[in-house]
Amino acid sequence: MKHKDGKPINLPNKNRKITLAITVIVLCGLSFYLGGLQCNTQNDGVVTNTNENENDIDLPKQNIGSLQVRPINFPQCSIDFQDYTPCTDPKRWRKYGVYRLTLLERHCPPLSERKECLVPSPDGYKAPIRWPKSRDECWYRNVPYDWINNEKSNQHWLRKEGEKFLFPGGGTMFPNGVGEYVDLMQDLIPEMRDGTVRTAIDTGCGVASWGGDLLDRGILTISLAPRDNHEAQVQFALERGIPAMLGVISTQRLPYPSNSFDMAHCSRCLIPWTEFGGIYLLEIHRILRPGGFWILSGPPVNYERRWRGWNTTVQEQRSDYEKLQDLLTSMCFKLYNKKDDIAVWQKSKDNNCYDKLPSDTYPPKCDDSFEPDDGWYIPLRTCVVVPESKYKRSALTYMSKWPERLHATPERIAAIHGASSSTFAHDNSKWKKRVQHYKKLFPELGTEKVRNVMDMNTLYGGFAASLIDDPLWVMNVVSAYGTNSLPVLYDRGLIGTYHDWCEAFSTYPRTYDLLHLDGLFTDESHRCEMKYVLLEMDRILRPGGHAIIRESTYFIDAIATIGKGMKWECRKENTEYGVEKERILTCQKKLLH
């Protein structure tokens, strides 16, 4: 260092020592940091490489680095895991209590117990029968379970003939066929005929005959049932091409936002609606939109004629019905219609009823600490969710009818930071162009070869909306830790769920024909380990099924390498825009013998 006149400055010896010490500390810290990065990149065989360019098609050299992983060949799990559902595993039930069926809820294994193997198919597995034929039959070897056939044969849920299960459309409350049952329901609820009712949930769905019948009537249903001693209710539904999920109303909220479903249904689903302070019915009230309908068939409806078959007395059934009616009234439901074994209640269309409830009413109204749209590991509470009065057009009575509501800007988009009618319209336009490009890369999309589809990390449901005229349905998944856009999807007349991809999805193996993801690893790789997400995708994908993976160039090579270790066949493609920062990977899962 010099003075401004050019003469050198002689620093004291003490200052030289301080400068040297600081330099050493900085160098040590930098060395430690770089060493940490090196250790991190070596975990699970991951290394960073900006020079390798291992492509299946010729492309210009990329300026962006790419994540590389060392090849891993995943072994096949034992045949005992052919129907493995990690977070609802019967082998783990003994660890949890039976109180309110807690054991049937999601209980995911710790990281140390995660399987790093490929879930096998049953012996004799073959490509599923295609829709719409699949609604009425499926291959026995694909779902080789006889419990329902043996126990419910008199109710005509299904029957085995040769190599197939046939589904005549029966059920506990409609042994003569679901079509006649739904015809009566439409007489009670005319809104089911004119596009007012679009989304529904069936709790305790059996083999989902009700949801399957409604598809032809323009109503999209999530059929919900736990993993229980019926073995494979949800698996039967999905094998047939009917939307379904594993789930139970127990101690946690269902993974859906408030005020979403237009209709909810229980056909002798054995849920004790009036017990535990009415907590289960309060959950139905939460997820049902204002003006929505709740349908109950079975006890205690029609108790005057039916009580002898219910192993009870007429007095007990009358008391149960009166309790149910009082509870529904306290939640601002009104009896809408009733005939034979079916009773229909309608949730209040506006907040006038809630405003008139006494302050000491039970159940009480939820306080300000209650976030009604949270639906991921949130305990149930015995309080009534009062809909936000500012969203008047989200009530069923005031919404656009289907199919107009698919493209109408949802009122609740205003709750999303930065969202507006213009961003919504842009998203729709963007996905129309993207889906057109996907169909060029994957010609089976839009044909009968693709029925069960999942969009693993959607925003507004643009992907699903662009496929609405194709013979398929889409389960839209919204991250439990990202932007909460799921209310917007339901307002559009689409279905979906909250989920965290660091855990397994609530479904059986081999239940989806196509998985689509858009930037999932870019968004979630800081929380979820890539190989476990891909192994979960392999678990739920049918043999012969496909994945369309849209990702930043940084992740594409690593995904392809892990996919190869899962015996997937993958091909890299350009996006519709041909930009360097993003690529598309199309993969197919092969049937392993």
Side-chain angles (χ1 to χ4, degrees):
M1 186 180 293
K2 298 182 179 180
H3 284 294
K4 60 182 179 181
D5 62 1
K7 295 181 180 179
I9 297 175
N10 294 320
L11 291 172
N13 191 49
K14 180 179 179 181
N15 286 350
R16 286 198 187 97
K17 290 181 180 179
I18 292 173
T19 303
L20 180 60
I22 291 173
T23 303
V24 170
I25 291 171
V26 170
L27 290 174
C28 288
L30 181 61
S31 176
F32 180 83
Y33 174 74
L34 293 175
L37 283 180
Q38 178 65 20
C39 290
N40 286 338
T41 58
Q42 289 176 353
N43 287 340
D44 296 313
V46 180
V47 295
T48 302
N49 189 325
T50 59
N51 297 319
E52 287 191 34
N53 187 25
E54 182 186 343
N55 295 320
D56 296 331
I57 56 177
D58 293 331
L59 291 170
K61 289 185 178 181
Q62 306 291 325
N63 295 322
I64 303 171
S66 62
L67 177 69
Q68 301 290 316
V69 297
R70 295 188 178 92
I72 305 173
N73 287 318
F74 296 98
Q76 187 166 310
C77 307
S78 71
I79 198 65
D80 296 341
F81 287 89
Q82 68 180 27
D83 287 318
Y84 182 47
T85 54
C87 296
T88 50
D89 185 0
K91 295 177 182 178
R92 296 171 53 84
W93 285 354
R94 65 182 183 275
K95 297 182 179 181
Y96 308 101
V98 297
Y99 176 71
R100 286 172 53 186
L101 299 180
T102 304
L103 76 167
L104 299 181
E105 291 185 305
R106 287 179 60 87
H107 303 286
C108 299
L111 186 62
S112 60
E113 296 180 20
R114 289 193 181 180
K115 305 301 177 186
E116 295 188 25
C117 54
L118 308 178
V119 173
S121 302
D123 291 336
Y125 181 90
K126 57 178 70 177
I129 296 169
R130 297 302 176 186
W131 185 266
K133 196 175 180 181
S134 64
R135 178 168 47 199
D136 302 320
E137 59 185 49
C138 75
W139 296 114
Y140 169 75
R141 292 309 315 171
N142 288 11
V143 195
Y145 301 111
D146 294 308
W147 188 92
I148 297 178
N149 184 41
N150 296 334
E151 296 295 323
K152 301 287 185 178
S153 58
N154 64 321
Q155 296 168 10
H156 308 296
W157 285 28
L158 55 81
R159 69 175 183 269
K160 186 175 181 294
E161 284 191 8
E163 295 184 346
K164 293 180 179 178
F165 276 130
L166 306 183
F167 298 86
T172 304
M173 294 306 300
F174 40 93
N176 296 323
V178 69
E180 180 181 313
Y181 176 78
V182 178
D183 286 342
L184 173 57
M185 198 172 293
Q186 286 188 330
D187 292 339
L188 300 177
I189 312 173
E191 292 86 346
M192 291 176 63
R193 298 181 185 271
D194 65 2
T196 300
V197 172
R198 166 60 182 171
T199 60
I201 184 168
D202 187 12
T203 53
C205 64
V207 293
S209 295
W210 187 74
D213 181 87
L214 288 175
L215 288 169
D216 277 345
R217 305 177 194 240
I219 297 174
L220 194 57
T221 304
I222 288 183
S223 296
L224 191 74
R227 170 125 194 196
D228 62 3
N229 61 349
H230 290 189
E231 290 184 294
Q233 295 177 86
V234 166
Q235 195 171 20
F236 275 122
L238 288 159
E239 181 68 20
R240 298 167 65 195
I242 300 171
M245 283 183 64
L246 286 169
V248 61
I249 308 179
S250 177
T251 68
Q252 307 284 333
R253 289 187 192 174
L254 296 176
Y256 316 115
S258 66
N259 308 325
S260 295
F261 291 96
D262 305 333
M263 184 167 66
H265 172 254
C266 164
S267 172
R268 198 167 186 180
C269 57
L270 304 181
I271 296 174
W273 296 112
T274 58
E275 294 182 19
F276 309 109
I279 198 166
Y280 304 135
L281 197 51
L282 284 162
E283 177 63 357
I284 293 296
H285 177 277
R286 182 185 71 87
I287 64 175
L288 199 62
R289 74 172 64 252
F293 300 97
W294 185 60
I295 306 161
L296 178 66
S297 66
V301 176
N302 201 13
Y303 67 87
E304 300 92 339
R305 292 179 52 204
R306 289 283 196 175
W307 67 270
R308 289 183 180 85
W310 295 339
N311 298 318
T312 183
T313 67
V314 67
Q315 292 81 10
E316 288 174 335
Q317 285 298 306
R318 182 187 298 114
S319 176
D320 287 346
Y321 184 79
E322 291 172 352
K323 287 178 183 176
L324 180 64
Q325 181 61 54
D326 289 345
L327 182 61
L328 285 161
T329 300
S330 71
M331 299 179 189
C332 291
F333 280 99
K334 287 186 177 180
L335 185 63
Y336 186 77
N337 220 332
K338 182 182 176 185
K339 186 176 181 180
D340 297 334
D341 296 324
I342 302 175
V344 181
W345 286 267
Q346 185 177 31
K347 182 177 173 178
S348 179
K349 302 175 184 179
D350 53 42
N351 285 9
N352 290 335
C353 173
Y354 303 104
D355 294 339
K356 295 176 183 177
L357 291 175
S359 58
D360 60 348
T361 188
Y362 186 87
K365 290 184 279 189
C366 299
D367 57 34
D368 292 341
S369 66
F370 191 97
E371 174 46 62
D373 287 339
D374 285 349
W376 190 246
Y377 292 122
I378 303 296
L380 293 179
R381 285 172 54 185
T382 51
C383 62
V384 179
V385 176
V386 179
E388 291 190 68
S389 57
K390 63 181 178 181
Y391 296 128
K392 293 181 180 179
R393 288 190 292 110
S394 294
L396 187 61
T397 312
Y398 308 113
M399 298 191 74
S400 300
K401 294 184 179 181
W402 182 262
E404 288 78 15
R405 80 190 251 191
L406 178 66
H407 297 297
T409 303
E411 185 179 31
R412 289 194 282 182
I413 201 169
I416 301 175
H417 179 71
S420 64
S421 58
S422 60
T423 60
F424 178 77
H426 173 73
D427 188 76
N428 277 338
S429 176
K430 175 182 71 176
W431 279 107
K432 283 181 182 179
K433 186 172 183 179
R434 288 183 172 188
V435 167
Q436 288 174 356
H437 183 63
Y438 289 165
K439 288 184 176 180
K440 293 177 183 177
L441 302 179
F442 178 40
E444 290 89 347
L445 183 59
T447 73
E448 75 283 352
K449 293 182 179 180
V450 177
R451 173 63 185 170
N452 300 350
V453 179
M454 179 185 288
D455 193 3
M456 294 175 62
N457 62 323
T458 190
L459 182 58
Y460 303 138
F463 173 76
S466 298
L467 294 168
I468 202 67
D469 294 324
D470 294 330
L472 54 80
W473 60 273
V474 180
M475 178 64 75
N476 293 282
V477 180
V478 170
S479 172
Y481 295 93
T483 300
N484 184 10
S485 59
L486 198 52
V488 168
L489 273 81
Y490 275 97
D491 288 352
R492 299 187 70 176
L494 304 173
I495 57 172
T497 182
Y498 296 118
H499 185 62
D500 174 11
W501 283 111
C502 298
E503 299 181 358
F505 193 77
S506 295
T507 191
Y508 280 89
R510 304 173 302 281
T511 45
Y512 283 88
D513 297 307
L514 174 66
L515 302 177
H516 171 261
L517 61 88
D518 174 25
L520 175 65
F521 295 107
T522 298
D523 294 339
E524 302 282 14
S525 61
H526 65 290
R527 295 193 314 106
C528 309
E529 194 169 341
M530 184 183 297
K531 69 176 177 182
Y532 290 120
V533 177
L534 288 164
L535 284 168
E536 175 62 5
M537 291 171 63
D538 182 84
R539 185 186 73 88
I540 67 179
L541 197 60
R542 286 171 165 173
H546 292 77
I548 298 177
I549 302 170
R550 188 184 191 98
E551 262 299 348
S552 71
T553 309
Y554 179 75
F555 288 105
I556 285 292
D557 287 339
I559 296 169
T561 299
I562 296 174
K564 186 176 182 181
M566 299 189 303
K567 316 300 188 294
W568 287 10
E569 291 184 357
C570 296
R571 187 177 70 251
K572 299 173 192 173
E573 304 281 4
N574 284 317
T575 67
E576 63 281 359
Y577 306 111
V579 296
E580 291 186 356
K581 66 179 182 180
E582 190 177 53
R583 299 291 299 277
I584 295 171
L585 199 66
T586 59
C587 299
Q588 183 177 29
K589 174 182 174 179
K590 295 299 183 181
L591 174 61
L592 303 179
H593 297 285

